[in-house]
Amino acid sequence: MDFDLPDELVALQQSVRRLSQDKIKPRAREIDSTGEYPEDIFQAFKEADLLGLCIPEEYGGGGAGILGLTVAIEEVTKYSNVTGLMLLLTRLPTGPIMIAGTEDQKQRYLPGIAAGETRCAFGLSEPQAGSDVAGMQTRATADPDVEGGWILNGTKCWMSGIVQADWYTVFAKTGDPSSRAHDSITCFIVDRSMTGVSVARTDRKMGVKGVDTGELLLENVKVGPENIVGGVGGFRLAMFGLNAMRPIVAARGIGLAEGAIMYATEYVKERQAFGHTIADFQGIQWKLAEIATEIEAARLLTYRAAWLADQGKFTKEWVPQLSMSKMYATEVAVKASGIAVQLLGAAGYMEDHPTELWYRDAKQLTIVEGTSQVQLGLIARGLLNHDIWWD
Ligand SMILES: Cc1cc2nc3c(=O)[nH]c(=O)nc-3n(C[C@H](O)[C@H](O)[C@H](O)COP(=O)(O)OP(=O)(O)OC[C@H]3O[C@@H](n4cnc5c(N)ncnc54)[C@H](O)[C@@H]3O)c2cc1C
């Protein structure tokens, strides 16, 4: 058993830490207040070769795997959750292709992402179907003019990075529209340039500003067989991509929690009250000690989940461990950012400090890519099935 990161990941951690301090920390507030996409940060990621971290070397990536991306995201999210999202978006839409795509799809879509020449987004949620994926209404019907081709109609919503994306991974019902079976759903790659594809709206959000979420309209979009990922009805294969994402979302949680608690810790050492610094009070020390313990617990769950995913352990029997990392780390982020606001008092509520920004940004994490309740359901099912068992 070895709890140390390998040397190359320590080097990555150090270099991303420096980049985050130099380039992200000074920009975080401005990105939030303008809500404008931080192209400068994207370019910094590109120059530092961070956009292909989890893409295999044969497709132009860095081959650092899920663990490498986890380490990088933890560092950038100490200052800005939205920059963590930018790195996450190099894996969320590409995951199904890496896991279940054809060689041709990998050659066509992965090198552009790794090189920072193209961007992508992921369309699973719909206005009437978020947690309830099987309730999706986007339909794919057989294209009478193209052998093996499909015509897509429907609306996907809350898609992160939708405005900058050149292509989308989207899911549609290819089987009986009323069926709730997973093999009635298929994953497609949809190019932005295809006729009938449009961004219908973008959302006004509570946090994670700078990378828009929005609605993708698919109107009679013709997709050839070469853009089907994992075969017709291959939703289950594509879902493995989401399982493998759990530590990557968790990484945003631990990074945000670490940033918030480091900031609050420095503050309480300076703030005077009742003739002491507030750090002298045991009530404050215990609060910090408890949340530091929770952050470390979340960190261990997250690193283990990333390691599991890199071993190919993202199939059903590993779901509980993967879901635990996402559920716990993101709940810790919400808790930690709340503690940070509280420890700064009124100052923490004002825009003079980043605490209120972390507080707003944290909440997204317990909702996206399977809410905390959905993760709890998955963990419980794993326990009931003995996928996680200690005997
Ligand atoms: C900022 C942001 C970015 C996003 N980016 C993307 C993206 O890029 N691509 C994409 O496809 N989607 C994206 N989403 C959507 C996200 O994945 C969904 O919001 C999420 O899956 C939950 O779906 P919902 O919002 O419809 O909530 P609902 O499914 O309507 O759930 C509402 C509440 O009910 C609870 N609930 C639902 N079912 C159960 C149950 N069985 N047991 C107990 N409680 C339950 C949920 O936990 C939640 O608290 C994004 C969302 C946000 C906020």
Side-chain angles (χ1 to χ4, degrees), residues 85 88-89 92 121-133 156-161 169 171 203 205 207-208 211 213 252 363-374 377:
L85 171 62
L88 175 146
L89 284 173
L92 177 61
F122 184 80
L124 182 62
S125 304
E126 298 187 2
Q128 307 307 322
S131 306
D132 181 17
V133 171
K156 295 290 173 181
C157 63
W158 307 313
M159 285 175 64
S160 302
T169 308
F171 296 82
D203 306 304
K205 293 185 289 183
V208 205
V211 171
T213 70
R252 294 170 67 195
K363 193 57 204 160
Q364 179 228 3
L365 299 173
T366 64
I367 298 170
V368 286
E369 292 189 43
T371 64
S372 292
Q373 292 71 33
V374 165

mmCIF file of all heavy atoms in Angstrom, residues 85 88-89 92 121-133 156-161 169 171 203 205 207-208 211 213 252 363-374 377, ligand 1:
data_model
loop_
_atom_site.group_PDB
_atom_site.id
_atom_site.type_symbol
_atom_site.label_atom_id
_atom_site.label_comp_id
_atom_site.label_asym_id
_atom_site.label_seq_id
_atom_site.Cartn_x
_atom_site.Cartn_y
_atom_site.Cartn_z
ATOM 1 N N LEU A 85 -14.247 23.392 -13.608
ATOM 2 C CA LEU A 85 -15.242 22.922 -14.586
ATOM 3 C C LEU A 85 -14.639 22.892 -15.992
ATOM 4 O O LEU A 85 -14.888 21.967 -16.769
ATOM 5 C CB LEU A 85 -16.482 23.838 -14.547
ATOM 6 C CG LEU A 85 -17.524 23.634 -15.639
ATOM 7 C CD1 LEU A 85 -18.125 22.237 -15.593
ATOM 8 C CD2 LEU A 85 -18.645 24.675 -15.522
ATOM 9 N N LEU A 88 -12.722 19.836 -16.208
ATOM 10 C CA LEU A 88 -13.652 18.691 -16.173
ATOM 11 C C LEU A 88 -14.263 18.447 -17.548
ATOM 12 O O LEU A 88 -14.486 17.302 -17.948
ATOM 13 C CB LEU A 88 -14.746 18.973 -15.142
ATOM 14 C CG LEU A 88 -15.897 17.984 -15.006
ATOM 15 C CD1 LEU A 88 -16.369 17.909 -13.549
ATOM 16 C CD2 LEU A 88 -17.083 18.319 -15.895
ATOM 17 N N LEU A 89 -14.519 19.528 -18.276
ATOM 18 C CA LEU A 89 -15.177 19.390 -19.588
ATOM 19 C C LEU A 89 -14.276 18.739 -20.638
ATOM 20 O O LEU A 89 -14.737 18.419 -21.728
ATOM 21 C CB LEU A 89 -15.677 20.752 -20.078
ATOM 22 C CG LEU A 89 -16.940 21.249 -19.377
ATOM 23 C CD1 LEU A 89 -17.279 22.679 -19.799
ATOM 24 C CD2 LEU A 89 -18.134 20.330 -19.656
ATOM 25 N N LEU A 92 -15.777 14.941 -19.403
ATOM 26 C CA LEU A 92 -17.192 14.538 -19.349
ATOM 27 C C LEU A 92 -17.736 14.126 -20.724
ATOM 28 O O LEU A 92 -18.235 13.014 -20.882
ATOM 29 C CB LEU A 92 -18.018 15.658 -18.699
ATOM 30 C CG LEU A 92 -19.523 15.468 -18.622
ATOM 31 C CD1 LEU A 92 -19.890 14.238 -17.804
ATOM 32 C CD2 LEU A 92 -20.200 16.713 -18.014
ATOM 33 N N ALA A 121 -19.230 19.577 -25.131
ATOM 34 C CA ALA A 121 -20.159 19.635 -23.987
ATOM 35 C C ALA A 121 -20.993 18.365 -23.982
ATOM 36 O O ALA A 121 -20.977 17.595 -24.955
ATOM 37 C CB ALA A 121 -21.039 20.881 -24.090
ATOM 38 N N PHE A 122 -21.720 18.173 -22.876
ATOM 39 C CA PHE A 122 -22.371 16.889 -22.603
ATOM 40 C C PHE A 122 -23.865 17.121 -22.396
ATOM 41 O O PHE A 122 -24.266 17.884 -21.508
ATOM 42 C CB PHE A 122 -21.736 16.339 -21.327
ATOM 43 C CG PHE A 122 -22.196 14.973 -20.907
ATOM 44 C CD1 PHE A 122 -21.677 13.833 -21.509
ATOM 45 C CD2 PHE A 122 -23.106 14.814 -19.872
ATOM 46 C CE1 PHE A 122 -22.063 12.563 -21.091
ATOM 47 C CE2 PHE A 122 -23.502 13.551 -19.450
ATOM 48 C CZ PHE A 122 -22.977 12.421 -20.062
ATOM 49 N N GLY A 123 -24.685 16.441 -23.185
ATOM 50 C CA GLY A 123 -26.129 16.658 -23.095
ATOM 51 C C GLY A 123 -26.886 15.409 -22.688
ATOM 52 O O GLY A 123 -27.215 14.569 -23.532
ATOM 53 N N LEU A 124 -27.138 15.311 -21.405
ATOM 54 C CA LEU A 124 -27.946 14.194 -20.898
ATOM 55 C C LEU A 124 -29.263 14.737 -20.341
ATOM 56 O O LEU A 124 -30.340 14.254 -20.672
ATOM 57 C CB LEU A 124 -27.161 13.444 -19.804
ATOM 58 C CG LEU A 124 -27.829 12.216 -19.190
ATOM 59 C CD1 LEU A 124 -28.076 11.141 -20.233
ATOM 60 C CD2 LEU A 124 -26.948 11.635 -18.068
ATOM 61 N N SER A 125 -29.181 15.784 -19.510
ATOM 62 C CA SER A 125 -30.373 16.306 -18.824
ATOM 63 C C SER A 125 -31.356 16.944 -19.802
ATOM 64 O O SER A 125 -30.967 17.506 -20.827
ATOM 65 C CB SER A 125 -29.967 17.373 -17.795
ATOM 66 O OG SER A 125 -29.034 16.853 -16.901
ATOM 67 N N GLU A 126 -32.615 16.852 -19.416
ATOM 68 C CA GLU A 126 -33.681 17.501 -20.186
ATOM 69 C C GLU A 126 -34.590 18.230 -19.212
ATOM 70 O O GLU A 126 -34.605 17.896 -18.013
ATOM 71 C CB GLU A 126 -34.477 16.454 -20.969
ATOM 72 C CG GLU A 126 -33.601 15.717 -21.967
ATOM 73 C CD GLU A 126 -34.379 14.781 -22.876
ATOM 74 O OE1 GLU A 126 -35.623 14.726 -22.758
ATOM 75 O OE2 GLU A 126 -33.733 14.130 -23.700
ATOM 76 N N PRO A 127 -35.361 19.200 -19.718
ATOM 77 C CA PRO A 127 -36.210 19.975 -18.799
ATOM 78 C C PRO A 127 -37.073 19.087 -17.901
ATOM 79 O O PRO A 127 -37.267 19.389 -16.732
ATOM 80 C CB PRO A 127 -37.060 20.822 -19.747
ATOM 81 C CG PRO A 127 -36.222 20.972 -20.982
ATOM 82 C CD PRO A 127 -35.426 19.704 -21.103
ATOM 83 N N GLN A 128 -37.558 17.950 -18.438
ATOM 84 C CA GLN A 128 -38.442 17.074 -17.649
ATOM 85 C C GLN A 128 -37.720 15.854 -17.096
ATOM 86 O O GLN A 128 -38.351 14.986 -16.504
ATOM 87 C CB GLN A 128 -39.620 16.591 -18.512
ATOM 88 C CG GLN A 128 -40.402 17.685 -19.192
ATOM 89 C CD GLN A 128 -40.882 18.751 -18.213
ATOM 90 O OE1 GLN A 128 -41.271 18.440 -17.097
ATOM 91 N NE2 GLN A 128 -40.823 20.016 -18.620
ATOM 92 N N ALA A 129 -36.412 15.742 -17.334
ATOM 93 C CA ALA A 129 -35.718 14.516 -16.925
ATOM 94 C C ALA A 129 -34.272 14.808 -16.571
ATOM 95 O O ALA A 129 -33.416 14.930 -17.454
ATOM 96 C CB ALA A 129 -35.783 13.478 -18.043
ATOM 97 N N GLY A 130 -34.011 14.960 -15.274
ATOM 98 C CA GLY A 130 -32.649 15.166 -14.794
ATOM 99 C C GLY A 130 -32.147 13.880 -14.152
ATOM 100 O O GLY A 130 -31.491 13.060 -14.791
ATOM 101 N N SER A 131 -32.526 13.682 -12.876
ATOM 102 C CA SER A 131 -32.145 12.432 -12.201
ATOM 103 C C SER A 131 -32.747 11.236 -12.925
ATOM 104 O O SER A 131 -32.131 10.178 -13.031
ATOM 105 C CB SER A 131 -32.658 12.437 -10.754
ATOM 106 O OG SER A 131 -32.232 13.588 -10.083
ATOM 107 N N ASP A 132 -33.959 11.422 -13.399
ATOM 108 C CA ASP A 132 -34.685 10.335 -14.054
ATOM 109 C C ASP A 132 -34.302 10.260 -15.529
ATOM 110 O O ASP A 132 -35.064 10.637 -16.420
ATOM 111 C CB ASP A 132 -36.195 10.583 -13.908
ATOM 112 C CG ASP A 132 -37.015 9.483 -14.548
ATOM 113 O OD1 ASP A 132 -36.458 8.393 -14.803
ATOM 114 O OD2 ASP A 132 -38.214 9.714 -14.796
ATOM 115 N N VAL A 133 -33.093 9.760 -15.754
ATOM 116 C CA VAL A 133 -32.534 9.742 -17.110
ATOM 117 C C VAL A 133 -33.452 8.993 -18.086
ATOM 118 O O VAL A 133 -33.655 9.424 -19.226
ATOM 119 C CB VAL A 133 -31.140 9.068 -17.066
ATOM 120 C CG1 VAL A 133 -30.614 8.825 -18.459
ATOM 121 C CG2 VAL A 133 -30.174 9.937 -16.276
ATOM 122 N N LYS A 156 -32.063 19.435 -24.944
ATOM 123 C CA LYS A 156 -31.197 19.135 -23.792
ATOM 124 C C LYS A 156 -30.985 20.435 -23.030
ATOM 125 O O LYS A 156 -30.922 21.512 -23.633
ATOM 126 C CB LYS A 156 -29.858 18.578 -24.279
ATOM 127 C CG LYS A 156 -29.974 17.230 -24.980
ATOM 128 C CD LYS A 156 -30.333 16.147 -23.996
ATOM 129 C CE LYS A 156 -30.625 14.822 -24.662
ATOM 130 N NZ LYS A 156 -31.006 13.783 -23.676
ATOM 131 N N CYS A 157 -30.867 20.346 -21.711
ATOM 132 C CA CYS A 157 -30.753 21.605 -20.960
ATOM 133 C C CYS A 157 -29.603 21.577 -19.952
ATOM 134 O O CYS A 157 -29.023 20.530 -19.689
ATOM 135 C CB CYS A 157 -32.067 21.922 -20.262
ATOM 136 S SG CYS A 157 -32.538 20.722 -19.044
ATOM 137 N N TRP A 158 -29.306 22.755 -19.413
ATOM 138 C CA TRP A 158 -28.265 22.970 -18.389
ATOM 139 C C TRP A 158 -26.898 22.446 -18.839
ATOM 140 O O TRP A 158 -26.084 22.017 -18.007
ATOM 141 C CB TRP A 158 -28.658 22.309 -17.057
ATOM 142 C CG TRP A 158 -30.010 22.700 -16.568
ATOM 143 C CD1 TRP A 158 -30.519 23.956 -16.492
ATOM 144 C CD2 TRP A 158 -31.048 21.824 -16.078
ATOM 145 N NE1 TRP A 158 -31.802 23.924 -15.991
ATOM 146 C CE2 TRP A 158 -32.143 22.626 -15.725
ATOM 147 C CE3 TRP A 158 -31.136 20.447 -15.906
ATOM 148 C CZ2 TRP A 158 -33.324 22.099 -15.208
ATOM 149 C CZ3 TRP A 158 -32.301 19.917 -15.394
ATOM 150 C CH2 TRP A 158 -33.382 20.729 -15.046
ATOM 151 N N MET A 159 -26.644 22.477 -20.127
ATOM 152 C CA MET A 159 -25.382 21.916 -20.630
ATOM 153 C C MET A 159 -24.230 22.888 -20.395
ATOM 154 O O MET A 159 -24.211 23.992 -20.942
ATOM 155 C CB MET A 159 -25.500 21.611 -22.126
ATOM 156 C CG MET A 159 -26.322 20.369 -22.405
ATOM 157 S SD MET A 159 -26.568 20.095 -24.183
ATOM 158 C CE MET A 159 -24.897 19.799 -24.743
ATOM 159 N N SER A 160 -23.270 22.459 -19.593
ATOM 160 C CA SER A 160 -22.112 23.308 -19.284
ATOM 161 C C SER A 160 -21.190 23.409 -20.499
ATOM 162 O O SER A 160 -20.895 22.405 -21.137
ATOM 163 C CB SER A 160 -21.316 22.710 -18.122
ATOM 164 O OG SER A 160 -22.136 22.587 -16.995
ATOM 165 N N GLY A 161 -20.759 24.621 -20.773
ATOM 166 C CA GLY A 161 -19.813 24.840 -21.875
ATOM 167 C C GLY A 161 -20.477 24.814 -23.238
ATOM 168 O O GLY A 161 -19.807 24.747 -24.272
ATOM 169 N N THR A 169 -21.780 15.493 -26.896
ATOM 170 C CA THR A 169 -22.187 14.106 -26.682
ATOM 171 C C THR A 169 -23.621 14.177 -26.182
ATOM 172 O O THR A 169 -23.873 14.803 -25.152
ATOM 173 C CB THR A 169 -21.308 13.443 -25.593
ATOM 174 O OG1 THR A 169 -19.940 13.640 -25.934
ATOM 175 C CG2 THR A 169 -21.585 11.963 -25.486
ATOM 176 N N PHE A 171 -27.630 12.168 -25.715
ATOM 177 C CA PHE A 171 -28.305 10.883 -25.550
ATOM 178 C C PHE A 171 -29.752 11.014 -26.025
ATOM 179 O O PHE A 171 -30.395 12.031 -25.758
ATOM 180 C CB PHE A 171 -28.276 10.465 -24.075
ATOM 181 C CG PHE A 171 -26.869 10.240 -23.583
ATOM 182 C CD1 PHE A 171 -26.075 11.314 -23.184
ATOM 183 C CD2 PHE A 171 -26.322 8.970 -23.549
ATOM 184 C CE1 PHE A 171 -24.769 11.123 -22.763
ATOM 185 C CE2 PHE A 171 -25.020 8.763 -23.132
ATOM 186 C CZ PHE A 171 -24.241 9.846 -22.732
ATOM 187 N N ASP A 203 -28.475 30.100 -19.329
ATOM 188 C CA ASP A 203 -29.128 30.287 -18.030
ATOM 189 C C ASP A 203 -28.467 31.389 -17.209
ATOM 190 O O ASP A 203 -27.280 31.651 -17.353
ATOM 191 C CB ASP A 203 -29.039 28.977 -17.223
ATOM 192 C CG ASP A 203 -29.584 27.798 -18.000
ATOM 193 O OD1 ASP A 203 -30.748 27.865 -18.421
ATOM 194 O OD2 ASP A 203 -28.840 26.811 -18.195
ATOM 195 N N LYS A 205 -27.252 31.986 -13.634
ATOM 196 C CA LYS A 205 -26.929 31.041 -12.558
ATOM 197 C C LYS A 205 -26.544 31.730 -11.267
ATOM 198 O O LYS A 205 -26.086 32.853 -11.258
ATOM 199 C CB LYS A 205 -25.720 30.181 -12.975
ATOM 200 C CG LYS A 205 -25.973 29.242 -14.111
ATOM 201 C CD LYS A 205 -24.756 28.356 -14.366
ATOM 202 C CE LYS A 205 -23.595 29.115 -14.978
ATOM 203 N NZ LYS A 205 -22.452 28.252 -15.285
ATOM 204 N N GLY A 207 -24.040 30.612 -9.354
ATOM 205 C CA GLY A 207 -22.576 30.585 -9.251
ATOM 206 C C GLY A 207 -21.979 29.915 -10.464
ATOM 207 O O GLY A 207 -22.653 29.754 -11.482
ATOM 208 N N VAL A 208 -20.706 29.540 -10.348
ATOM 209 C CA VAL A 208 -19.971 28.911 -11.446
ATOM 210 C C VAL A 208 -20.173 29.729 -12.725
ATOM 211 O O VAL A 208 -20.428 29.202 -13.807
ATOM 212 C CB VAL A 208 -20.387 27.434 -11.656
ATOM 213 C CG1 VAL A 208 -19.259 26.656 -12.310
ATOM 214 C CG2 VAL A 208 -20.743 26.758 -10.362
ATOM 215 N N VAL A 211 -18.580 30.072 -17.353
ATOM 216 C CA VAL A 211 -18.860 29.012 -18.322
ATOM 217 C C VAL A 211 -20.374 28.833 -18.308
ATOM 218 O O VAL A 211 -20.953 28.408 -17.309
ATOM 219 C CB VAL A 211 -18.151 27.685 -17.960
ATOM 220 C CG1 VAL A 211 -18.633 26.559 -18.857
ATOM 221 C CG2 VAL A 211 -16.637 27.834 -18.094
ATOM 222 N N THR A 213 -24.171 27.588 -18.881
ATOM 223 C CA THR A 213 -24.962 26.385 -19.154
ATOM 224 C C THR A 213 -26.110 26.849 -20.041
ATOM 225 O O THR A 213 -26.453 28.038 -20.037
ATOM 226 C CB THR A 213 -25.551 25.740 -17.877
ATOM 227 O OG1 THR A 213 -26.569 26.571 -17.369
ATOM 228 C CG2 THR A 213 -24.496 25.506 -16.814
ATOM 229 N N ARG A 252 -13.291 18.751 -7.556
ATOM 230 C CA ARG A 252 -13.707 20.157 -7.438
ATOM 231 C C ARG A 252 -14.177 20.419 -6.012
ATOM 232 O O ARG A 252 -13.937 21.501 -5.464
ATOM 233 C CB ARG A 252 -14.829 20.466 -8.439
ATOM 234 C CG ARG A 252 -14.363 20.388 -9.875
ATOM 235 C CD ARG A 252 -15.544 20.445 -10.844
ATOM 236 N NE ARG A 252 -16.225 21.734 -10.846
ATOM 237 C CZ ARG A 252 -17.435 21.925 -11.370
ATOM 238 N NH1 ARG A 252 -18.091 20.912 -11.929
ATOM 239 N NH2 ARG A 252 -17.993 23.109 -11.341
ATOM 240 N N LYS A 363 -22.488 24.982 -4.151
ATOM 241 C CA LYS A 363 -23.764 24.275 -4.157
ATOM 242 C C LYS A 363 -24.011 23.499 -5.442
ATOM 243 O O LYS A 363 -24.644 22.438 -5.443
ATOM 244 C CB LYS A 363 -24.907 25.276 -3.883
ATOM 245 C CG LYS A 363 -26.226 24.629 -3.556
ATOM 246 C CD LYS A 363 -26.144 23.687 -2.350
ATOM 247 C CE LYS A 363 -27.222 22.643 -2.369
ATOM 248 N NZ LYS A 363 -26.934 21.464 -1.543
ATOM 249 N N GLN A 364 -23.485 24.034 -6.540
ATOM 250 C CA GLN A 364 -23.678 23.344 -7.815
ATOM 251 C C GLN A 364 -23.216 21.889 -7.743
ATOM 252 O O GLN A 364 -23.793 20.993 -8.356
ATOM 253 C CB GLN A 364 -22.889 24.075 -8.917
ATOM 254 C CG GLN A 364 -22.998 23.433 -10.275
ATOM 255 C CD GLN A 364 -21.662 23.240 -10.979
ATOM 256 O OE1 GLN A 364 -20.598 23.538 -10.441
ATOM 257 N NE2 GLN A 364 -21.708 22.751 -12.188
ATOM 258 N N LEU A 365 -22.145 21.682 -6.967
ATOM 259 C CA LEU A 365 -21.477 20.370 -7.004
ATOM 260 C C LEU A 365 -22.332 19.233 -6.449
ATOM 261 O O LEU A 365 -22.151 18.081 -6.821
ATOM 262 C CB LEU A 365 -20.146 20.453 -6.245
ATOM 263 C CG LEU A 365 -19.140 21.454 -6.825
ATOM 264 C CD1 LEU A 365 -17.929 21.588 -5.908
ATOM 265 C CD2 LEU A 365 -18.711 21.031 -8.221
ATOM 266 N N THR A 366 -23.251 19.568 -5.531
ATOM 267 C CA THR A 366 -24.098 18.498 -4.976
ATOM 268 C C THR A 366 -25.291 18.191 -5.889
ATOM 269 O O THR A 366 -26.084 17.302 -5.586
ATOM 270 C CB THR A 366 -24.625 18.863 -3.566
ATOM 271 O OG1 THR A 366 -25.476 19.999 -3.675
ATOM 272 C CG2 THR A 366 -23.495 19.154 -2.598
ATOM 273 N N ILE A 367 -25.403 18.962 -6.980
ATOM 274 C CA ILE A 367 -26.533 18.775 -7.908
ATOM 275 C C ILE A 367 -26.084 18.091 -9.204
ATOM 276 O O ILE A 367 -26.751 17.186 -9.694
ATOM 277 C CB ILE A 367 -27.197 20.137 -8.230
ATOM 278 C CG1 ILE A 367 -27.767 20.752 -6.942
ATOM 279 C CG2 ILE A 367 -28.286 19.991 -9.287
ATOM 280 C CD1 ILE A 367 -28.238 22.191 -7.084
ATOM 281 N N VAL A 368 -24.937 18.538 -9.738
ATOM 282 C CA VAL A 368 -24.539 18.043 -11.074
ATOM 283 C C VAL A 368 -24.114 16.577 -11.068
ATOM 284 O O VAL A 368 -23.643 16.065 -10.065
ATOM 285 C CB VAL A 368 -23.366 18.864 -11.676
ATOM 286 C CG1 VAL A 368 -23.831 20.200 -12.152
ATOM 287 C CG2 VAL A 368 -22.216 18.982 -10.706
ATOM 288 N N GLU A 369 -24.255 15.997 -12.241
ATOM 289 C CA GLU A 369 -23.778 14.617 -12.490
ATOM 290 C C GLU A 369 -24.243 13.635 -11.429
ATOM 291 O O GLU A 369 -23.459 12.849 -10.909
ATOM 292 C CB GLU A 369 -22.248 14.601 -12.628
ATOM 293 C CG GLU A 369 -21.803 15.319 -13.877
ATOM 294 C CD GLU A 369 -20.330 15.148 -14.155
ATOM 295 O OE1 GLU A 369 -19.820 14.037 -14.013
ATOM 296 O OE2 GLU A 369 -19.697 16.154 -14.498
ATOM 297 N N GLY A 370 -25.528 13.710 -11.129
ATOM 298 C CA GLY A 370 -26.100 12.836 -10.099
ATOM 299 C C GLY A 370 -26.069 13.548 -8.767
ATOM 300 O O GLY A 370 -25.009 13.754 -8.185
ATOM 301 N N THR A 371 -27.253 13.942 -8.294
ATOM 302 C CA THR A 371 -27.348 14.687 -7.036
ATOM 303 C C THR A 371 -26.848 13.825 -5.873
ATOM 304 O O THR A 371 -26.658 12.613 -6.019
ATOM 305 C CB THR A 371 -28.818 15.065 -6.747
ATOM 306 O OG1 THR A 371 -29.557 13.846 -6.571
ATOM 307 C CG2 THR A 371 -29.428 15.886 -7.867
ATOM 308 N N SER A 372 -26.690 14.452 -4.720
ATOM 309 C CA SER A 372 -26.268 13.682 -3.536
ATOM 310 C C SER A 372 -27.258 12.561 -3.245
ATOM 311 O O SER A 372 -26.870 11.457 -2.846
ATOM 312 C CB SER A 372 -26.165 14.602 -2.312
ATOM 313 O OG SER A 372 -25.100 15.491 -2.489
ATOM 314 N N GLN A 373 -28.554 12.847 -3.478
ATOM 315 C CA GLN A 373 -29.575 11.825 -3.206
ATOM 316 C C GLN A 373 -29.431 10.653 -4.179
ATOM 317 O O GLN A 373 -29.565 9.490 -3.795
ATOM 318 C CB GLN A 373 -30.981 12.437 -3.309
ATOM 319 C CG GLN A 373 -31.332 13.437 -2.222
ATOM 320 C CD GLN A 373 -30.576 14.760 -2.353
ATOM 321 O OE1 GLN A 373 -30.276 15.206 -3.455
ATOM 322 N NE2 GLN A 373 -30.271 15.380 -1.236
ATOM 323 N N VAL A 374 -29.153 10.977 -5.437
ATOM 324 C CA VAL A 374 -28.956 9.901 -6.427
ATOM 325 C C VAL A 374 -27.729 9.056 -6.040
ATOM 326 O O VAL A 374 -27.753 7.826 -6.093
ATOM 327 C CB VAL A 374 -28.820 10.500 -7.848
ATOM 328 C CG1 VAL A 374 -28.253 9.485 -8.827
ATOM 329 C CG2 VAL A 374 -30.181 10.986 -8.330
ATOM 330 N N GLY A 377 -28.582 6.763 -3.265
ATOM 331 C CA GLY A 377 -29.339 5.617 -3.780
ATOM 332 C C GLY A 377 -28.415 4.560 -4.374
ATOM 333 O O GLY A 377 -28.591 3.358 -4.158
HETATM 334 C C1 LIG B 1 -24.591 24.438 -12.971
HETATM 335 C C2 LIG B 1 -25.119 23.180 -13.558
HETATM 336 C C3 LIG B 1 -24.459 22.593 -14.643
HETATM 337 C C4 LIG B 1 -24.975 21.436 -15.238
HETATM 338 N N1 LIG B 1 -24.322 20.907 -16.331
HETATM 339 C C5 LIG B 1 -24.885 19.838 -16.980
HETATM 340 C C6 LIG B 1 -24.298 19.327 -18.186
HETATM 341 O O1 LIG B 1 -23.235 19.774 -18.636
HETATM 342 N N2 LIG B 1 -24.939 18.336 -18.841
HETATM 343 C C7 LIG B 1 -26.094 17.785 -18.381
HETATM 344 O O2 LIG B 1 -26.619 16.872 -19.012
HETATM 345 N N3 LIG B 1 -26.668 18.240 -17.232
HETATM 346 C C8 LIG B 1 -26.090 19.254 -16.528
HETATM 347 N N4 LIG B 1 -26.673 19.733 -15.379
HETATM 348 C C9 LIG B 1 -27.920 19.126 -14.905
HETATM 349 C C10 LIG B 1 -27.727 18.183 -13.739
HETATM 350 O O3 LIG B 1 -27.056 17.027 -14.136
HETATM 351 C C11 LIG B 1 -29.114 17.906 -13.161
HETATM 352 O O4 LIG B 1 -29.534 19.107 -12.563
HETATM 353 C C12 LIG B 1 -29.122 16.783 -12.156
HETATM 354 O O5 LIG B 1 -28.922 15.542 -12.785
HETATM 355 C C13 LIG B 1 -30.432 16.742 -11.358
HETATM 356 O O6 LIG B 1 -31.530 16.762 -12.198
HETATM 357 P P1 LIG B 1 -32.708 17.839 -11.962
HETATM 358 O O7 LIG B 1 -32.084 19.177 -11.819
HETATM 359 O O8 LIG B 1 -33.708 17.645 -13.031
HETATM 360 O O9 LIG B 1 -33.310 17.475 -10.575
HETATM 361 P P2 LIG B 1 -34.511 16.438 -10.312
HETATM 362 O O10 LIG B 1 -34.159 15.138 -10.916
HETATM 363 O O11 LIG B 1 -35.794 17.079 -10.688
HETATM 364 O O12 LIG B 1 -34.413 16.307 -8.728
HETATM 365 C C14 LIG B 1 -34.944 17.304 -7.871
HETATM 366 C C15 LIG B 1 -34.627 16.888 -6.433
HETATM 367 O O13 LIG B 1 -35.225 15.606 -6.185
HETATM 368 C C16 LIG B 1 -34.225 14.708 -5.741
HETATM 369 N N5 LIG B 1 -34.528 13.369 -6.249
HETATM 370 C C17 LIG B 1 -34.765 12.989 -7.535
HETATM 371 N N6 LIG B 1 -34.962 11.677 -7.595
HETATM 372 C C18 LIG B 1 -34.826 11.193 -6.324
HETATM 373 C C19 LIG B 1 -34.902 9.908 -5.734
HETATM 374 N N7 LIG B 1 -35.117 8.816 -6.489
HETATM 375 N N8 LIG B 1 -34.727 9.802 -4.389
HETATM 376 C C20 LIG B 1 -34.472 10.887 -3.635
HETATM 377 N N9 LIG B 1 -34.376 12.140 -4.134
HETATM 378 C C21 LIG B 1 -34.545 12.288 -5.472
HETATM 379 C C22 LIG B 1 -32.925 15.225 -6.310
HETATM 380 O O14 LIG B 1 -31.817 14.753 -5.553
HETATM 381 C C23 LIG B 1 -33.130 16.720 -6.194
HETATM 382 O O15 LIG B 1 -32.807 17.127 -4.890
HETATM 383 C C24 LIG B 1 -26.154 20.855 -14.736
HETATM 384 C C25 LIG B 1 -26.787 21.416 -13.613
HETATM 385 C C26 LIG B 1 -26.273 22.557 -13.030
HETATM 386 C C27 LIG B 1 -26.964 23.124 -11.834
#
